[in-house]
Amino acid sequence: MKLYVFDHCPFCIKAMMAAGYTRLPVTQCIIDNHDVARREAMIGYNAVPILEKDDGSFMAESADIVQYLMECSGDSLAPARHAEALSHWLEAHQHTLWSLLFPRDVQLPLPEFRQPESIAYFTANKTAMLGCSFARALADSPEYIAKMEAAFAGLDWLQPPSRRRDSRLSWDDIQLFPTLRNLTMVKGLNFPAALDAYLNEVSALCRVALYRELAC
């Protein structure tokens, strides 16, 4: 099987987590961010992640891909216990997250942005969502970092998988880890010790690397 993704995309990270967790023979393929035509040729519309199955057919939608990979492995995820709370937290801090992450996505040496056209495509789309330039958002980083560090208090209940669930991945992890993992690209952002432990453990469990060494 092949999994077509962007390394930075939270939805792609969900599928990457399942592939790494199950240890299935899935080849990860990074595609250019601006190559809409390639994605449309596979699934008929512009979206990632995309799973190419062994029979040559394609599957989209991250949750469906996660479920399919789990079924292929004969394993299952622990049920979500905090889905509503996590959705609320992510929504409440969405603009702060965007402001910290979007400008840095194109500053890191990520393979989906190796072409200038990919950077231009991403920048045009995401600055429209932000309502300001990446330069402006970066300049305001101290403000957004302070807001994000305060927001972490809303996750003070979070525990790593080794605590009370025998290192079993859950649907809550699939929902939250991608965002926390991407926040490791933000230089100067301080994570509480419990969140650090959570990130390290889920990263190892799913074989999805953190961005700490690339933080900017």
Side-chain angles (χ1 to χ4, degrees), residues 37-53:
R38 186 178 182 188
R39 301 190 283 276
E40 290 179 339
M42 286 189 276
I43 58 172
Y45 58 99
N46 180 24
V48 282
I50 301 169
L51 180 70
E52 183 177 359
K53 300 180 184 178

Side-chain angles (χ1 to χ4, degrees), residues 13-215:
I13 298 167
K14 294 179 181 185
M16 291 159 57
M17 290 172 70
Y21 180 68
T22 59
R23 307 302 196 255
L24 288 169
V26 178
T27 301
Q28 184 173 301
C29 305
I30 305 291
I31 54 179
D32 291 331
N33 192 266
H34 73 288
D35 196 352
V36 175
R38 186 178 182 188
R39 301 190 283 276
E40 290 179 339
M42 286 189 276
I43 58 172
Y45 58 99
N46 180 24
V48 282
I50 301 169
L51 180 70
E52 183 177 359
K53 300 180 184 178
D54 288 334
D55 64 5
S57 64
F58 295 99
M59 170 184 281
E61 306 303 328
S62 59
D64 292 342
I65 293 172
V66 170
Q67 184 62 39
Y68 179 78
L69 293 176
M70 297 307 301
E71 290 173 357
C72 286
S73 73
D75 202 347
S76 63
L77 296 172
R81 299 180 60 188
H82 307 283
E84 186 174 351
L86 292 177
S87 292
H88 178 74
W89 187 87
L90 290 166
E91 183 178 354
H93 305 294
Q94 184 181 72
H95 189 264
T96 299
L97 291 164
W98 287 354
S99 300
L100 287 170
L101 298 178
F102 289 166
R104 289 171 171 83
D105 286 330
V106 293
Q107 290 197 336
L108 270 61
L110 302 181
E112 61 263 38
F113 297 121
R114 59 193 160 193
Q115 302 294 335
E117 297 90 339
S118 293
I119 294 175
Y121 176 82
F122 181 87
T123 301
N125 287 331
K126 301 307 184 184
T127 53
M129 294 171 64
L130 276 180
C132 70
S133 69
F134 283 176
R136 179 71 265 167
L138 285 170
D140 291 338
S141 286
E143 173 189 345
Y144 293 124
I145 287 173
K147 287 182 178 180
M148 199 71 253
E149 290 178 347
F152 286 151
L155 300 174
D156 58 0
W157 49 268
L158 189 66
Q159 294 183 337
S162 61
R163 297 285 300 276
R164 299 184 182 179
R165 47 189 168 108
D166 300 322
S167 295
R168 184 183 178 195
L169 199 70
S170 75
W171 280 103
D172 287 333
D173 301 319
I174 296 292
Q175 184 179 8
L176 180 63
F177 175 78
T179 295
L180 294 182
R181 178 259 191 170
N182 282 356
L183 282 171
T184 63
M185 72 174 64
V186 181
K187 189 174 183 178
L189 179 64
N190 296 309
F191 291 85
L195 277 189
D196 250 346
Y198 174 86
L199 279 164
N200 291 335
E201 199 166 295
V202 178
S203 172
L205 196 61
C206 298
R207 299 184 178 182
V208 176
L210 305 178
Y211 286 131
R212 286 180 179 136
E213 293 183 2
L214 301 175

